[in-house]
Amino acid sequence: MDLGLKEKRALVLGASRGLGAAIAEGLAREGVHVTAAARNKDAISAWAGKLPSGSGKVTLEPLDLSDLAAIDALADKLLAEGGVDILVNNTGGPPPSTALDAKRDDWLAHFETMAANIFHLTQRLLPPMRTRKWGRVLTVTSSGVEQPIPVLALSNGIRSAIVGWSKTLAGEVARDGVTVNVLMPGRIHTQRVVELDTAAAKRSGKQLEDVSAAMAETIPMGRYGRPEEFANVAVFLASERASYVTGTKIRIDGGATRSV
């Protein structure tokens, strides 16, 4: 199937590892010219250097999502080049915390980095999409927005706010040919999930392997997902073929979320 992505331009945040890197790589393999933004440029170079011939160009951009000036500088640069067609909002997750333990300063700091700053960046990059009558905004959240995950109160709360924003935005730009969707990963085997499992092992006094195996048993498919499996869904939603899909939350979790 031709996804109609060749020569499109994308900005992928958090593209140095995990889900962001997998999405950026998947788009590049479809011929998209990807601006891959993250703090660790060396990690981006590592996966970009393994792309097959014929892939889209990958441009590395150092970016700290807590730095609003840097975000605006990147937006200015991209807009001067005509903007992007695809924006993938992907941020790192906050540390584990219960709702009882999370402090006001924790909420404010992580909301700024994970939510307010990507809202701002999206607003800046939307005008060229709306003018061209074609655009895609994908935001990576978590299955915790539908089924809150214990000890991840900061993530559950902040990402739920992102879902409300995304749904509102989808209704505002749909007639301009811009789709806005949310991707909800379950247990995808990334460094972030290893870190969460490691923290759980430390709290429980169990071995990391035992914690991971027990968690996998709770998933109907009996295993963690692979980053490329998640990225395949993102690439499709970014494509021409998904032009009538907007305002949705898409689960990629092996059936782990129990709600219908």
Side-chain angles (χ1 to χ4, degrees), residues 8-9 84-87 125-126 128-138 173-174 176-181 237-240 242-243 245-246:
K8 296 290 187 185
R9 293 167 295 179
V84 297
D85 305 294
I86 301 160
L87 170 61
L125 296 179
L126 272 172
M129 297 185 198
R130 300 179 73 187
T131 298
R132 288 192 289 265
K133 301 297 182 182
W134 202 100
R136 303 287 185 263
V137 178
L138 300 177
V173 299
D176 298 319
V178 178
T179 67
V180 183
N181 292 293
L237 287 174
S239 78
E240 182 65 37
S243 57
V245 182
T246 195

Side-chain angles (χ1 to χ4, degrees), residues 5-7 27-33 51-57:
L5 283 170
K6 195 170 180 61
E7 305 297 328
L27 289 169
R29 287 175 178 270
E30 291 295 327
V32 177
H33 298 316
L51 288 170
S53 61
S55 297
K57 178 183 176 182

Side-chain angles (χ1 to χ4, degrees), residues 172-258:
E172 295 174 354
V173 299
R175 289 178 183 265
D176 298 319
V178 178
T179 67
V180 183
N181 292 293
V182 165
L183 298 166
M184 301 183 299
R187 286 276 164 166
I188 311 296
H189 196 214
T190 62
Q191 188 173 338
R192 163 71 172 169
V193 166
V194 172
E195 290 167 356
L196 291 174
D197 283 357
T198 300
K202 184 177 181 180
R203 289 193 303 270
S204 64
K206 298 178 181 178
Q207 295 296 313
L208 172 61
E209 295 77 9
D210 294 334
V211 168
S212 299
M215 182 60 69
E217 282 300 312
T218 69
I219 302 170
M221 295 194 76
R223 64 175 177 85
Y224 285 4
R226 299 186 296 274
E228 61 269 25
E229 292 178 305
F230 183 88
N232 288 341
V233 179
V235 171
F236 174 75
L237 287 174
S239 78
E240 182 65 37
R241 300 295 167 252
S243 57
Y244 203 57
V245 182
T246 195
T248 63
K249 297 180 296 181
I250 308 295
R251 299 174 185 168
I252 308 100
D253 66 356
T257 303
R258 296 300 192 248

